[in-house]
Amino acid sequence: MAYSIEELKEYLKKYNIKPSTIRLKILGFLLENRVHPTADDIYKYLIDSIPTLSRTSVYNALELFTDKGIVKPVSLNEKELRYDIKTDFHGHFKCEICGNIYDFPLQNQVYSEDFLEGFTIKDIHINYYGICKKCNQKIKLNKNKEEY
Amino acid sequence: MAYSIEELKEYLKKYNIKPSTIRLKILGFLLENRVHPTADDIYKYLIDSIPTLSRTSVYNALELFTDKGIVKPVSLNEKELRYDIKTDFHGHFKCEICGNIYDFPLQNQVYSEDFLEGFTIKDIHINYYGICKKCNQKIKLNKNKEEY
DNA sequence: CTAAATGCAAACGGTTTGCAATGCT
DNA sequence: AGCATTGCAAACCGTTTGCATTTAG
């Protein structure tokens, strides 16, 4: 869960990115907290440890990470983009109540290829929306309370 | 392909929406041109026939349509939202070259339900990104030209 | 006459840009 | 010194908001 500076440097090196304090901290945050943060989430998290940090630098780093393929922007019908560290093919579930975003596994299968014959598929985003397990349980509990 | 005013009025009525000139024209546009337009696309299309039209009214109508369930906003990693008239469950393919958005059929099957046990799924967005057939063919043609 | 619908202008908020300041080798 | 990185302030742009005006029943 916790990554050493050396590991983070090594990680960036693999993607041909020069390490800098900001980049290492953003990468560390992304790796250790798989929360699909917005640029602002990252900014707010880092501002304590880098008081001079600017939002621009966060955007710069995220753009670089995106270009180099470390990170993937996802838009979940919100106005802000979120950033997902690249891992296995997976889907996203966004809870409309708590706002949490859950990853869930996907077999590497496409829905129907027939129509897309001749198309080059470079990326697939599978986004589910609804109510997560936890929030469903809370709803159930409140209903029970009301009954007494 | 072409809808009469009466048909459009009937359509709105089903969704409990009072017909107004703007709403009827937007609905007509959405039904007759399945291009997943942005609010601005719609505004630009209508401004000729309604010179006093404001963007606000387009947003108002789209918000109403969304609330009533006529239309579904989709965000395809762009800054603007697009609006999709609700039809069968289908996926979207966005071409990175021409920018066109293609619908493609999906069997109504979910990837892996196991993880999402206890979750309430209200909506599923399947977005593919890449190069469409037409653009692929153009690329091929250009390559052939270069060879001579 | 009343309520709904429309439109204008300003505000909002996430992101981008231009450029100056700073840091690194 | 020279180049990359960072940071500030302003611009940008899609969208929202407040409110005044117009329209429709």
Side-chain angles (χ1 to χ4, degrees):
Chain A
M1 200 65 185
Y3 290 76
S4 70
I5 305 271
E6 277 319 308
E7 283 173 305
L8 295 173
K9 280 190 183 170
E10 196 56 36
Y11 198 112
L12 289 181
K13 200 175 182 182
K14 274 187 198 151
Y15 287 89
N16 262 315
I17 298 172
K18 286 189 203 162
S20 74
T21 310
I22 290 175
R23 290 171 188 167
L24 290 169
K25 292 210 176 188
I26 292 181
L27 178 64
F29 178 66
L30 289 169
L31 287 173
E32 290 164 20
N33 308 274
R34 313 278 179 134
V35 292
H36 318 81
T38 64
D40 202 56
D41 291 336
I42 297 171
Y43 174 79
K44 285 194 180 118
Y45 177 80
L46 291 185
I47 190 65
D48 286 335
S49 64
I50 317 176
T52 61
L53 183 67
S54 72
R55 258 166 256 265
T56 309
S57 301
V58 176
Y59 283 111
N60 284 342
L62 288 173
E63 193 189 348
L64 182 67
F65 284 8
T66 305
D67 292 346
K68 297 288 189 178
I70 275 193
V71 118
K72 216 163 91 172
V74 289
S75 70
L76 295 167
N77 269 8
E78 299 160 316
K79 62 179 86 179
E80 331 95 290
L81 278 180
R82 297 182 170 276
Y83 293 87
D84 198 10
I85 193 109
K86 273 201 188 166
T87 54
D88 301 343
F89 183 46
H90 64 271
H92 293 127
F93 182 98
K94 171 158 194 230
C95 177
E96 66 187 28
I97 295 180
C98 63
N100 281 350
I101 289 149
Y102 298 82
D103 287 348
F104 65 93
L106 292 170
Q107 48 260 51
N108 204 349
Q109 138 214 356
V110 270
Y111 268 93
S112 20
E113 305 260 67
D114 321 355
F115 178 86
L116 296 177
E117 178 158 2
F119 287 58
T120 306
I121 299 169
K122 295 200 176 176
D123 201 6
I124 301 179
H125 288 197
I126 312 283
N127 302 327
Y128 283 51
Y129 301 86
I131 301 172
C132 73
K133 205 172 183 174
K134 276 190 193 169
C135 288
N136 266 335
Q137 285 166 347
K138 279 185 200 162
I139 292 168
K140 229 187 211 168
L141 283 176
N142 285 332
K143 266 199 193 142
N144 287 345
K145 268 188 207 159
E146 281 164 20
E147 284 170 13
Y148 293 99
Chain B
M1 201 64 183
Y3 289 77
S4 70
I5 306 269
E6 279 318 310
E7 283 173 304
L8 296 173
K9 280 190 183 170
E10 197 57 37
Y11 198 112
L12 289 181
K13 201 175 181 181
K14 275 187 195 148
Y15 287 89
N16 262 313
I17 298 173
K18 288 189 203 161
S20 74
T21 311
I22 290 175
R23 290 172 189 167
L24 290 168
K25 293 210 174 188
I26 292 180
L27 178 65
F29 178 67
L30 289 169
L31 287 172
E32 289 164 21
N33 310 273
R34 313 278 180 135
V35 293
H36 319 80
T38 64
D40 202 55
D41 291 336
I42 297 172
Y43 174 79
K44 285 194 180 117
Y45 176 80
L46 291 184
I47 190 64
D48 285 335
S49 64
I50 317 175
T52 59
L53 183 66
S54 72
R55 257 166 255 266
T56 309
S57 301
V58 177
Y59 283 112
N60 284 343
L62 289 172
E63 193 189 349
L64 183 66
F65 285 8
T66 305
D67 292 347
K68 298 287 190 178
I70 276 191
V71 118
K72 216 163 90 172
V74 289
S75 70
L76 295 167
N77 270 9
E78 299 160 316
K79 65 177 83 179
E80 330 96 289
L81 278 180
R82 297 182 170 275
Y83 293 87
D84 198 9
I85 194 108
K86 271 199 189 169
T87 55
D88 302 343
F89 183 46
H90 63 271
H92 292 127
F93 182 99
K94 172 158 193 229
C95 177
E96 66 187 29
I97 295 179
C98 63
N100 281 350
I101 289 148
Y102 298 82
D103 287 349
F104 67 93
L106 293 169
Q107 48 261 50
N108 203 348
Q109 137 215 357
V110 271
Y111 269 97
S112 18
E113 304 259 70
D114 321 356
F115 178 87
L116 295 177
E117 178 158 0
F119 287 58
T120 307
I121 298 169
K122 295 199 176 177
D123 201 5
I124 301 178
H125 288 198
I126 312 283
N127 301 328
Y128 283 51
Y129 301 86
I131 301 171
C132 75
K133 205 172 182 175
K134 276 190 193 168
C135 288
N136 266 334
Q137 284 165 349
K138 278 186 201 161
I139 292 168
K140 229 187 211 168
L141 283 176
N142 285 332
K143 265 199 195 140
N144 286 345
K145 269 189 208 159
E146 280 164 22
E147 283 169 14
Y148 294 97

